[in-house]
Amino acid sequence: QQQVKQSPQSLIVQKGGIPIINCAYENTAFDYFPWYQQFPGKGPALLIAIRPDVSEKKEGRFTISFNKSAKQFSLHIMDSQPGDSATYFCAARSGNEKLTFGTGTRLTIIP
Amino acid sequence: DSGVTQTPKHLITATGQRVTLRCSPRSGDLSVYWYQQSLDQGLQFLIQYYNGEERAKGNILERFSAQQFPDLHSELNLSSLELGDSALYFCASSVEPLSTDTQYFGPGTRLTVL
């Protein structure tokens, strides 16, 4: 019930392409869905987050798409750059419960 | 820089030993969270404190314990260390333990148990 399943495990995209990372959850009580970006040797940093009352949220080149009925959400990175190469984690939370993280996607953007 | 500090950055120790990891939250943040990150397990929530009191427990082993002090810094104590405890340990902080409250992560402590 508390799991968040993330795919793919790794992704290689050419510069300018649109990498898409997908997450699925089971717990319908989740009401907050953040994405974190982690560079090697650093802690995760909040990238963008969405509540289930909206279907899409954009911040710069990053977009979250949310499908409440399918219990899925995804991260799209527009015009991807080599500097976007990092590990991305989706997460979900219900009320003041703990954040449950996906297993991470290692993204590589090749020039 | 998230404003969360963790010490030490690296720690190498032997099996059976005990270590203490330290975390200072961002100024004004009352809630502290501890996570373990290993290659095969991703980010696992260990424990949360809010204003000095334990709020939530995750997959924390009995050999591990934590506390949050009056000045809001927190320590994670790991004892009877095993090889499998080798991982990155992150501390995060937030103002309140609310659903939409952003958690800011520190740079982590890399623990190696030999």
Side-chain angles (χ1 to χ4, degrees), chain A residues 37-45 82-88, chain B residues 90:
Chain A
Q37 179 188 56
Q38 184 180 23
F39 292 105
K42 303 288 186 183
D84 296 329
S85 297
T87 300
Y88 292 81
Chain B
F90 288 103

Side-chain angles (χ1 to χ4, degrees), chain A residues 31-32 38 44 51 93 95-96, chain B residues 37 55 97-100 105:
Chain A
D31 61 0
Y32 175 64
Q38 184 180 23
R51 296 289 300 266
R93 188 175 187 182
N96 61 359
Chain B
Q37 185 177 39
R55 278 297 284 264
L98 297 176
S99 173
T100 56
F105 281 76

Side-chain angles (χ1 to χ4, degrees), chain B residues 6-11 20-22 108-110:
Chain B
Q6 288 186 250
T7 57
K9 193 167 183 177
H10 300 280
L11 199 48
T20 297
L21 312 184
R22 183 188 169 103
T109 292
R110 182 174 292 279

Side-chain angles (χ1 to χ4, degrees), chain A residues 31-32 36 38 41-46 51 87 89 93-103 106, chain B residues 9 33 35 37 39 42-43 45 48 55 57-58 88 90 96-103 105-107:
Chain A
D31 61 0
Y32 175 64
Y36 281 81
Q38 184 180 23
K42 303 288 186 183
L46 180 68
R51 296 289 300 266
T87 300
F89 293 93
R93 188 175 187 182
S94 166
N96 61 359
E97 298 293 316
K98 66 180 180 71
L99 267 176
T100 299
F101 283 86
T103 49
R106 181 172 291 186
Chain B
K9 193 167 183 177
Y33 311 77
Y35 293 87
Q37 185 177 39
L39 280 173
L43 272 163
F45 169 73
Q48 176 201 352
R55 278 297 284 264
K57 252 184 178 178
L88 269 167
F90 288 103
E96 298 273 352
L98 297 176
S99 173
T100 56
D101 199 36
T102 300
Q103 289 185 26
F105 281 76

Side-chain angles (χ1 to χ4, degrees), chain B residues 81-100:
Chain B
L81 284 168
E82 301 175 0
L83 295 177
D85 297 328
S86 295
L88 269 167
Y89 290 84
F90 288 103
C91 165
S93 73
S94 67
V95 176
E96 298 273 352
L98 297 176
S99 173
T100 56

Side-chain angles (χ1 to χ4, degrees), chain A residues 6-95:
Chain A
Q6 183 172 348
S7 63
Q9 195 172 17
S10 63
L11 187 56
I12 300 174
V13 173
Q14 202 138 26
K15 177 185 171 184
I18 305 176
I20 301 173
I21 304 170
N22 300 298
C23 285
Y25 62 97
E26 289 295 324
N27 186 353
T28 54
F30 285 147
D31 61 0
Y32 175 64
F33 301 88
W35 283 88
Y36 281 81
Q37 179 188 56
Q38 184 180 23
F39 292 105
K42 303 288 186 183
L46 180 68
L47 192 60
I48 185 173
I50 196 168
R51 296 289 300 266
D53 51 350
V54 297
S55 60
E56 186 176 278
K57 183 174 181 179
K58 288 184 182 180
E59 283 187 10
R61 295 183 295 107
F62 300 91
T63 299
I64 300 179
S65 296
F66 188 85
N67 186 330
K68 189 173 180 178
S69 60
K71 292 184 284 187
Q72 294 175 349
F73 58 110
S74 59
L75 177 70
H76 299 63
I77 306 176
M78 306 303 175
D79 187 28
S80 58
Q81 301 296 315
D84 296 329
S85 297
T87 300
Y88 292 81
F89 293 93
C90 63
R93 188 175 187 182
S94 166

